[in-house]
Amino acid sequence: MTSASDLPGPVRPLLVLLIAATVSLFGPLGDAHAQELSAADKNLIVNVKLAGLWEMPAGMWAQERGKSRRTREVGRALMIDHGRLDTATHAIADRFGIALPSEPSDQQSAWLGEMKTARDDSEFDRVFANRLRYAHGILFPVIAQVRAGTRNDVVRDYATTANQAVLRHMTLLESTGVVDQSLLPEAPVPQSNSANAAMDVGFGDLVLGLLLAVVLGGGLFMAVRALRGKNTRTRTRAAATEPDPVPSAPGEINV
């Protein structure tokens, strides 16, 4: 079997280039599940904790003050889900050494203040549904971006759970029938053809890499084939020039 050391000098650089092209296409082996947290990963965990710090009290008040039965049901559902999310948030924060806040932000505290000072239960229902729906609309794309781009397996699972909970909460809040659509956060303006351009660049790089691999692989194959043919011709010539054996004398044995 021909080893790399047996290859002629011009073939070895081709082999190195072929290996480099393969790594550039498929990435280094054994590094597919890096466990380092990015700034976006940490930001998500902190923001989910902040959401729980004000949404659980809001859910409790909704069960007590909600005028409609639906508002009371939604408040209970939010409390249960955020209780579970809070447990998961503390577990992942402890694992990766992330400091979590213990108080809601100033904006979240102001929203709680609006609920607390609502003139009547009907106004409470409107404030509860609209403030919570707005906040969930802000957090939802943050979770989606981390879920799509994180390199950390644990954070990916955590983001999946948080994404499902926030989507469920938006749907529940909208089911109260008092969410004002004009108060929802504005959707980001799409950059024309940015996604398609990114896909085109990625596809072009892939095709170029595959062509490079094919060319280098073909060159390496031809070089190895030529080397083997050369070795065969050398052995043939050596056999052709080998002297005829000397006839044995009676009673002698040629070895």
Side-chain angles (χ1 to χ4, degrees), residues 175-211:
S175 73
T176 61
V178 295
V179 171
D180 186 346
Q181 303 292 329
S182 67
L183 299 178
L184 299 181
E186 292 288 339
V189 178
Q191 297 180 0
S192 60
N193 296 326
S194 60
N196 290 335
M199 291 179 64
D200 291 341
V201 170
F203 180 74
D205 290 343
L206 177 61
V207 171
L208 180 60
L210 289 174
L211 288 176

Side-chain angles (χ1 to χ4, degrees), residues 104-233:
S105 69
D106 291 342
Q107 179 65 79
Q108 292 165 340
S109 296
W111 288 335
L112 287 173
E114 288 183 54
M115 295 179 208
K116 192 172 184 178
T117 58
R119 292 189 305 269
D120 52 39
D121 293 345
S122 295
E123 183 181 354
F124 175 89
D125 285 7
R126 288 192 299 272
V127 174
F128 169 80
N130 282 285
R131 294 295 180 253
L132 282 163
R133 176 59 182 83
Y134 177 86
H136 280 79
I138 295 294
L139 184 58
F140 189 62
V142 175
I143 299 172
Q145 289 174 359
V146 172
R147 174 60 184 82
T150 184
R151 270 61 169 172
N152 186 281
D153 294 340
V154 178
V155 174
R156 186 176 299 111
D157 291 341
Y158 174 78
T160 299
T161 300
N163 183 78
Q164 292 169 347
V166 172
L167 179 58
R168 165 177 151 85
H169 293 174
M170 289 193 295
T171 304
L172 287 172
L173 290 161
E174 291 160 2
S175 73
T176 61
V178 295
V179 171
D180 186 346
Q181 303 292 329
S182 67
L183 299 178
L184 299 181
E186 292 288 339
V189 178
Q191 297 180 0
S192 60
N193 296 326
S194 60
N196 290 335
M199 291 179 64
D200 291 341
V201 170
F203 180 74
D205 290 343
L206 177 61
V207 171
L208 180 60
L210 289 174
L211 288 176
L212 178 61
V214 169
V215 171
L216 292 176
L220 180 61
F221 172 77
M222 294 301 294
V224 172
R225 184 176 179 180
L227 176 63
R228 289 179 176 175
K230 180 180 178 181
N231 291 340
T232 301
R233 289 192 298 271

Side-chain angles (χ1 to χ4, degrees), residues 5-6 8-9 12 15 19 33 42 48 50 58 64 82 99 103 113 124 136 139 143 147 149 152 167 172 237 240 253:
S5 60
D6 296 329
R12 294 175 190 171
L15 180 61
I19 294 173
H33 304 289
K42 297 175 183 177
V48 172
L50 281 170
E64 298 171 352
H82 273 289
E103 298 291 336
F124 175 89
H136 280 79
L139 184 58
I143 299 172
R147 174 60 184 82
N152 186 281
L167 179 58
L172 287 172
R237 287 196 298 269
I253 299 176

